[in-house]
Structure formats: structure tokens, C-alpha cells
Amino acid sequence: MHKKFDITIVGAGPVGMSLTALLLQLGVSSERILLIDAKPESSSLQDPRSLALATGSKQILDSLQSWPTHATRISQIHVSRRGSFGRTLIKSDDYALPALGYVCRYGDVIASLLSTLQDHGVQILRPVIIKDVQESDSHISLTFDDETTVQTNCLIQA
């Protein structure tokens, strides 16, 4: 493992993984990026929670070639409050949109992004707990629970 990185991203969920893929798309070398997560890969891949993703999120994941294979289109949203007056019904057809968003499984989003990152050789450390963070004028030092230390120029909490 390298001990010095330009960018270290803490959090290998959809946001951290998408940011990593976007950095790669912008030309940052995979060798200069470290992605860290506290959870094991299997727990993220098997996570059954549902995510409601906006159309903008779909566009980003499409551009990264990381859109999950299973997603359900949201064609209408009903907003109301029980016992209160009024309601709003938003339909994708009213705005000439294919969908207002999409619902998919968290694990499916992770699997798609993971495949993209693995294709580019991104180093992902997990499960890892950061025990200490020290900042200096030139870099940030991270010490993990196993006493491994790495240096980074930029630390991002995702």
C-alpha cells in the first residue's frame, strides 16, 4: 500500500464512491486516491435499504457508467399532511420528464460503483477505523486502528 495520497475520501457509500469516480473521470490517477470505509464490503453490498435518487443523481451515475441494473421509476409524488387542508400531486408527465426520480436498493448502487472503481484500480481500505488525524502545514496524517499511518494532501469526509 502507498503511504502518501493526494486525496483521501472517508466513506465508501454512494457519495464517497461517486466522488472517487468523478475524480477519475477528471483525470486524477487512481494511485493518488485512497477510499476508506469502516464497514466491510459485504455489509454494503448486502444492504437492503431503498434509496430514492433524483434524476440528477441518475445523470451523474449514468455518466460514470455506474447506474444500477434494477431501478424503479418514480412517476408521481403525492404531498399531503393528514388532518390538514390541501395537497400537491406532482406527475412526471406534467413536466415532460421520463421520471421524477428512481428507487433502487442501496446494495445495487454500491455494486455498480464498486465495479467502476475496481476497473480503475482504486485502492479501497475496509473495514478501517481512523484512530487519529494530525494536520501539518504540508499534509494530513491518518492513523488507523491497526497503527498503519498514511499521509494525504486533502481529506474528504463523505
Side-chain angles (χ1 to χ4, degrees):
M1 174 178 90
H2 295 293
K3 298 289 184 172
K4 177 93 173 142
F5 297 89
D6 289 334
I7 302 167
T8 299
I9 300 169
V10 179
V15 172
M17 294 177 96
S18 294
L19 175 58
T20 302
L22 286 166
L23 288 168
L24 293 169
Q25 196 175 63
L26 290 172
V28 178
S29 168
S30 63
E31 295 174 359
R32 305 309 307 154
I33 303 171
L34 176 62
L35 184 58
I36 300 172
D37 201 71
K39 294 187 294 187
E41 182 179 294
S42 60
S43 113
S44 293
L45 290 171
Q46 296 169 6
D47 192 325
R49 291 179 291 171
S50 293
L51 295 177
L53 299 175
T55 300
S57 296
K58 181 186 187 311
Q59 291 170 338
I60 291 169
L61 291 171
D62 278 341
S63 78
L64 299 171
Q65 299 173 350
S66 296
W67 184 246
T69 56
H70 303 291
T72 303
R73 182 177 153 294
I74 299 171
S75 58
Q76 69 178 20
I77 299 172
H78 177 188
V79 182
S80 64
R81 183 171 177 188
R82 183 178 296 172
S84 295
F85 179 74
R87 74 178 183 108
T88 300
L89 184 62
I90 305 166
K91 296 180 183 179
S92 60
D93 293 343
D94 293 343
Y95 299 95
L97 296 171
L100 297 170
Y102 298 84
V103 176
C104 51
R105 200 174 69 79
Y106 182 96
D108 291 344
V109 173
I110 294 298
S112 294
L113 285 163
L114 182 60
S115 176
T116 298
L117 297 183
Q118 287 174 335
D119 288 348
H120 287 87
V122 172
Q123 186 164 338
I124 304 173
L125 294 182
R126 60 167 91 194
V128 171
I129 303 296
I130 298 173
K131 185 172 107 175
D132 189 42
V133 177
Q134 295 293 320
E135 294 182 46
S136 73
D137 290 340
S138 62
H139 65 273
I140 302 164
S141 293
L142 305 173
T143 304
F144 304 138
D145 55 352
D146 67 357
E147 300 304 323
T148 301
T149 300
V150 297
Q151 293 180 353
T152 188
N153 295 328
C154 178
L155 179 62
I156 300 168
Q157 176 66 47

